[in-house]
Structure formats: structure tokens, C-alpha cells
Amino acid sequence: MKALKKNDGSAMPLFIVGIFFILALVAVIYQNSTMIAAGRSVKAAMQKVALNAITQNSEETYPSKREGYTGAYEKQFDWNPAVENIDPTDQITEMLHLTQEGTALVKRSAAGAELYRLDTIQLTVENTEFLNSSKGIKATMSLNLVIPVKYPLMEERPITIPIKVTAENKMKF
């Protein structure tokens, strides 16, 4: 009984383990929240680029389009598709303040550490069939978001998240 009553300092190891557990939990929550924030900002920029592609194809290819028709055709001798494929890398680089390294776009912190990388960026613009008012011009943008993740007591590993967004110009009525 005396051994159980006189145990000074026996809670200290448990207290230290608890502190390390809380610190590790905070680090995991911080890492996950930065991944979520990076994913949301990249997806928002992708949506803007896809909308810009739709707007540019609707306005520039034929500005005097008939009401109720949402295709991109122009009359030269005959009606021809007039959809331009737009390079999305310039727009997304400007929106997210990225730097190009090889074929990838990279976001770095002020200290120079890589926050995330964008690979395989593609923007596809599809035209509707001629005189078909049920569909519109459709832009689909896809890329791979690569985030280097470092959890406590683990080595850094990249996580690849494929993201795809679609924008479409449809009739209002």
C-alpha cells in the first residue's frame, strides 16, 4: 500500500506523451487544412479559366450571334466551327502566382519551399452541333494537383489529386 501512495512524479511520462500527441494532432490538422485551402484555390482558378474560355469563344468567334443559339460558328463561304482552344497555363499562372518549372507550374512559399505543383493541365473546348440549340459550347479543364505532405515522424510524400471542372454556355430560355 505504501508503494501506491508514495509515487511522486509518475504522471510526468504520461503528461509528456499527451503533449506530444496534441502537438502531432495540431500538425496533422494544419497540414490537412493547407491541402484543402490549396485545392479550393486551384479549383476556383480552374473554374475562372474555363469560364474565360467559354466567354472568349462566345464573344470573339461571332459577336453577332442569333438569340437563342449558343454554338460558335462563323460564315465564310459556308458555316464553319469557330472554337479556339485557349492555352490555360498563362491564365492560371497569373491567377495563382505560379512559376513554371519544366512542364509543371509550381507554387512556392516565401522561404522557397514547394507548396504545390500543377501537372498535366488540359483545357478542351467542345462546340455544339450546327443549329442545335439544346447544347452550348462546353469547356472542360483538368489537371493534377500534387501536394508534398509531411506528417510528424514520417518522411515527405507527394499526394496527387486529379481535379476536373466544366463550364457550359447554354440557352437561358
Side-chain angles (χ1 to χ4, degrees), residues 22-40:
I22 290 171
L23 288 174
L25 184 64
V26 167
V28 167
I29 290 171
Y30 173 76
Q31 185 67 44
N32 287 345
S33 66
T34 56
M35 283 192 307
I36 291 169
R40 285 186 180 164

PDB file of all heavy atoms in Angstrom, residues 22-40:
ATOM      1  N   ILE A  22      -0.813  15.864 -28.640  1.00  0.00           N
ATOM      2  CA  ILE A  22      -1.528  17.094 -29.004  1.00  0.00           C
ATOM      3  C   ILE A  22      -0.765  17.869 -30.082  1.00  0.00           C
ATOM      4  O   ILE A  22      -1.364  18.376 -31.038  1.00  0.00           O
ATOM      5  CB  ILE A  22      -1.783  17.962 -27.749  1.00  0.00           C
ATOM      6  CG1 ILE A  22      -2.824  17.280 -26.861  1.00  0.00           C
ATOM      7  CG2 ILE A  22      -2.242  19.363 -28.120  1.00  0.00           C
ATOM      8  CD1 ILE A  22      -3.004  17.919 -25.505  1.00  0.00           C
ATOM      9  N   LEU A  23       0.556  17.961 -29.961  1.00  0.00           N
ATOM     10  CA  LEU A  23       1.360  18.642 -30.988  1.00  0.00           C
ATOM     11  C   LEU A  23       1.259  17.935 -32.349  1.00  0.00           C
ATOM     12  O   LEU A  23       1.146  18.589 -33.388  1.00  0.00           O
ATOM     13  CB  LEU A  23       2.818  18.736 -30.540  1.00  0.00           C
ATOM     14  CG  LEU A  23       3.114  19.725 -29.420  1.00  0.00           C
ATOM     15  CD1 LEU A  23       4.570  19.608 -28.973  1.00  0.00           C
ATOM     16  CD2 LEU A  23       2.790  21.135 -29.851  1.00  0.00           C
ATOM     17  N   ALA A  24       1.298  16.606 -32.324  1.00  0.00           N
ATOM     18  CA  ALA A  24       1.164  15.854 -33.573  1.00  0.00           C
ATOM     19  C   ALA A  24      -0.216  16.053 -34.177  1.00  0.00           C
ATOM     20  O   ALA A  24      -0.363  16.202 -35.397  1.00  0.00           O
ATOM     21  CB  ALA A  24       1.431  14.374 -33.324  1.00  0.00           C
ATOM     22  N   LEU A  25      -1.239  16.084 -33.352  1.00  0.00           N
ATOM     23  CA  LEU A  25      -2.600  16.302 -33.832  1.00  0.00           C
ATOM     24  C   LEU A  25      -2.749  17.691 -34.464  1.00  0.00           C
ATOM     25  O   LEU A  25      -3.360  17.840 -35.527  1.00  0.00           O
ATOM     26  CB  LEU A  25      -3.591  16.121 -32.685  1.00  0.00           C
ATOM     27  CG  LEU A  25      -5.067  16.231 -33.032  1.00  0.00           C
ATOM     28  CD1 LEU A  25      -5.467  15.109 -33.980  1.00  0.00           C
ATOM     29  CD2 LEU A  25      -5.911  16.178 -31.772  1.00  0.00           C
ATOM     30  N   VAL A  26      -2.167  18.697 -33.831  1.00  0.00           N
ATOM     31  CA  VAL A  26      -2.203  20.053 -34.381  1.00  0.00           C
ATOM     32  C   VAL A  26      -1.467  20.103 -35.726  1.00  0.00           C
ATOM     33  O   VAL A  26      -1.932  20.735 -36.678  1.00  0.00           O
ATOM     34  CB  VAL A  26      -1.614  21.069 -33.372  1.00  0.00           C
ATOM     35  CG1 VAL A  26      -1.351  22.410 -34.017  1.00  0.00           C
ATOM     36  CG2 VAL A  26      -2.545  21.222 -32.181  1.00  0.00           C
ATOM     37  N   ALA A  27      -0.336  19.416 -35.835  1.00  0.00           N
ATOM     38  CA  ALA A  27       0.417  19.395 -37.091  1.00  0.00           C
ATOM     39  C   ALA A  27      -0.372  18.717 -38.209  1.00  0.00           C
ATOM     40  O   ALA A  27      -0.382  19.182 -39.351  1.00  0.00           O
ATOM     41  CB  ALA A  27       1.760  18.687 -36.888  1.00  0.00           C
ATOM     42  N   VAL A  28      -1.066  17.633 -37.898  1.00  0.00           N
ATOM     43  CA  VAL A  28      -1.881  16.932 -38.894  1.00  0.00           C
ATOM     44  C   VAL A  28      -3.053  17.807 -39.331  1.00  0.00           C
ATOM     45  O   VAL A  28      -3.362  17.906 -40.525  1.00  0.00           O
ATOM     46  CB  VAL A  28      -2.365  15.575 -38.329  1.00  0.00           C
ATOM     47  CG1 VAL A  28      -3.457  14.973 -39.196  1.00  0.00           C
ATOM     48  CG2 VAL A  28      -1.199  14.617 -38.205  1.00  0.00           C
ATOM     49  N   ILE A  29      -3.714  18.457 -38.395  1.00  0.00           N
ATOM     50  CA  ILE A  29      -4.832  19.342 -38.735  1.00  0.00           C
ATOM     51  C   ILE A  29      -4.347  20.501 -39.597  1.00  0.00           C
ATOM     52  O   ILE A  29      -4.992  20.868 -40.587  1.00  0.00           O
ATOM     53  CB  ILE A  29      -5.534  19.845 -37.457  1.00  0.00           C
ATOM     54  CG1 ILE A  29      -6.280  18.688 -36.791  1.00  0.00           C
ATOM     55  CG2 ILE A  29      -6.481  20.986 -37.756  1.00  0.00           C
ATOM     56  CD1 ILE A  29      -6.827  19.006 -35.419  1.00  0.00           C
ATOM     57  N   TYR A  30      -3.197  21.093 -39.266  1.00  0.00           N
ATOM     58  CA  TYR A  30      -2.643  22.185 -40.056  1.00  0.00           C
ATOM     59  C   TYR A  30      -2.316  21.718 -41.478  1.00  0.00           C
ATOM     60  O   TYR A  30      -2.640  22.395 -42.453  1.00  0.00           O
ATOM     61  CB  TYR A  30      -1.391  22.747 -39.383  1.00  0.00           C
ATOM     62  CG  TYR A  30      -0.670  23.763 -40.236  1.00  0.00           C
ATOM     63  CD1 TYR A  30      -1.174  25.048 -40.366  1.00  0.00           C
ATOM     64  CD2 TYR A  30       0.494  23.433 -40.924  1.00  0.00           C
ATOM     65  CE1 TYR A  30      -0.533  25.986 -41.161  1.00  0.00           C
ATOM     66  CE2 TYR A  30       1.133  24.353 -41.717  1.00  0.00           C
ATOM     67  CZ  TYR A  30       0.615  25.626 -41.834  1.00  0.00           C
ATOM     68  OH  TYR A  30       1.243  26.545 -42.621  1.00  0.00           O
ATOM     69  N   GLN A  31      -1.674  20.569 -41.620  1.00  0.00           N
ATOM     70  CA  GLN A  31      -1.305  20.049 -42.942  1.00  0.00           C
ATOM     71  C   GLN A  31      -2.551  19.783 -43.785  1.00  0.00           C
ATOM     72  O   GLN A  31      -2.600  20.131 -44.954  1.00  0.00           O
ATOM     73  CB  GLN A  31      -0.465  18.779 -42.805  1.00  0.00           C
ATOM     74  CG  GLN A  31       0.055  18.238 -44.108  1.00  0.00           C
ATOM     75  CD  GLN A  31       1.075  19.141 -44.744  1.00  0.00           C
ATOM     76  OE1 GLN A  31       1.970  19.647 -44.081  1.00  0.00           O
ATOM     77  NE2 GLN A  31       0.953  19.362 -46.028  1.00  0.00           N
ATOM     78  N   ASN A  32      -3.565  19.184 -43.179  1.00  0.00           N
ATOM     79  CA  ASN A  32      -4.792  18.898 -43.918  1.00  0.00           C
ATOM     80  C   ASN A  32      -5.533  20.170 -44.308  1.00  0.00           C
ATOM     81  O   ASN A  32      -6.095  20.249 -45.395  1.00  0.00           O
ATOM     82  CB  ASN A  32      -5.710  17.971 -43.108  1.00  0.00           C
ATOM     83  CG  ASN A  32      -5.179  16.565 -43.062  1.00  0.00           C
ATOM     84  OD1 ASN A  32      -4.304  16.186 -43.827  1.00  0.00           O
ATOM     85  ND2 ASN A  32      -5.709  15.765 -42.151  1.00  0.00           N
ATOM     86  N   SER A  33      -5.536  21.167 -43.439  1.00  0.00           N
ATOM     87  CA  SER A  33      -6.224  22.419 -43.780  1.00  0.00           C
ATOM     88  C   SER A  33      -5.498  23.164 -44.896  1.00  0.00           C
ATOM     89  O   SER A  33      -6.144  23.782 -45.741  1.00  0.00           O
ATOM     90  CB  SER A  33      -6.381  23.303 -42.543  1.00  0.00           C
ATOM     91  OG  SER A  33      -5.122  23.730 -42.075  1.00  0.00           O
ATOM     92  N   THR A  34      -4.169  23.098 -44.940  1.00  0.00           N
ATOM     93  CA  THR A  34      -3.460  23.733 -46.048  1.00  0.00           C
ATOM     94  C   THR A  34      -3.710  22.988 -47.353  1.00  0.00           C
ATOM     95  O   THR A  34      -3.806  23.618 -48.404  1.00  0.00           O
ATOM     96  CB  THR A  34      -1.944  23.818 -45.781  1.00  0.00           C
ATOM     97  OG1 THR A  34      -1.435  22.513 -45.514  1.00  0.00           O
ATOM     98  CG2 THR A  34      -1.628  24.738 -44.635  1.00  0.00           C
ATOM     99  N   MET A  35      -3.850  21.665 -47.302  1.00  0.00           N
ATOM    100  CA  MET A  35      -4.184  20.909 -48.516  1.00  0.00           C
ATOM    101  C   MET A  35      -5.573  21.287 -49.023  1.00  0.00           C
ATOM    102  O   MET A  35      -5.779  21.465 -50.223  1.00  0.00           O
ATOM    103  CB  MET A  35      -4.133  19.400 -48.254  1.00  0.00           C
ATOM    104  CG  MET A  35      -2.743  18.837 -48.195  1.00  0.00           C
ATOM    105  SD  MET A  35      -2.680  17.042 -48.235  1.00  0.00           S
ATOM    106  CE  MET A  35      -3.773  16.553 -46.941  1.00  0.00           C
ATOM    107  N   ILE A  36      -6.528  21.420 -48.120  1.00  0.00           N
ATOM    108  CA  ILE A  36      -7.889  21.788 -48.510  1.00  0.00           C
ATOM    109  C   ILE A  36      -7.911  23.195 -49.094  1.00  0.00           C
ATOM    110  O   ILE A  36      -8.554  23.457 -50.115  1.00  0.00           O
ATOM    111  CB  ILE A  36      -8.848  21.663 -47.306  1.00  0.00           C
ATOM    112  CG1 ILE A  36      -9.029  20.188 -46.949  1.00  0.00           C
ATOM    113  CG2 ILE A  36     -10.184  22.313 -47.584  1.00  0.00           C
ATOM    114  CD1 ILE A  36      -9.735  19.957 -45.634  1.00  0.00           C
ATOM    115  N   ALA A  37      -7.197  24.131 -48.475  1.00  0.00           N
ATOM    116  CA  ALA A  37      -7.152  25.506 -48.983  1.00  0.00           C
ATOM    117  C   ALA A  37      -6.496  25.568 -50.361  1.00  0.00           C
ATOM    118  O   ALA A  37      -6.969  26.284 -51.251  1.00  0.00           O
ATOM    119  CB  ALA A  37      -6.407  26.404 -47.995  1.00  0.00           C
ATOM    120  N   ALA A  38      -5.415  24.822 -50.559  1.00  0.00           N
ATOM    121  CA  ALA A  38      -4.760  24.796 -51.869  1.00  0.00           C
ATOM    122  C   ALA A  38      -5.684  24.207 -52.921  1.00  0.00           C
ATOM    123  O   ALA A  38      -5.801  24.732 -54.032  1.00  0.00           O
ATOM    124  CB  ALA A  38      -3.460  23.993 -51.793  1.00  0.00           C
ATOM    125  N   GLY A  39      -6.376  23.140 -52.586  1.00  0.00           N
ATOM    126  CA  GLY A  39      -7.307  22.522 -53.529  1.00  0.00           C
ATOM    127  C   GLY A  39      -8.443  23.444 -53.908  1.00  0.00           C
ATOM    128  O   GLY A  39      -8.823  23.539 -55.082  1.00  0.00           O
ATOM    129  N   ARG A  40      -8.977  24.156 -52.944  1.00  0.00           N
ATOM    130  CA  ARG A  40     -10.079  25.095 -53.234  1.00  0.00           C
ATOM    131  C   ARG A  40      -9.618  26.255 -54.104  1.00  0.00           C
ATOM    132  O   ARG A  40     -10.331  26.682 -55.011  1.00  0.00           O
ATOM    133  CB  ARG A  40     -10.678  25.611 -51.932  1.00  0.00           C
ATOM    134  CG  ARG A  40     -11.545  24.600 -51.253  1.00  0.00           C
ATOM    135  CD  ARG A  40     -12.237  25.179 -50.052  1.00  0.00           C
ATOM    136  NE  ARG A  40     -13.073  24.157 -49.428  1.00  0.00           N
ATOM    137  CZ  ARG A  40     -13.562  24.263 -48.215  1.00  0.00           C
ATOM    138  NH1 ARG A  40     -13.307  25.324 -47.495  1.00  0.00           N
ATOM    139  NH2 ARG A  40     -14.312  23.302 -47.722  1.00  0.00           N
TER     140      ARG A  40
END
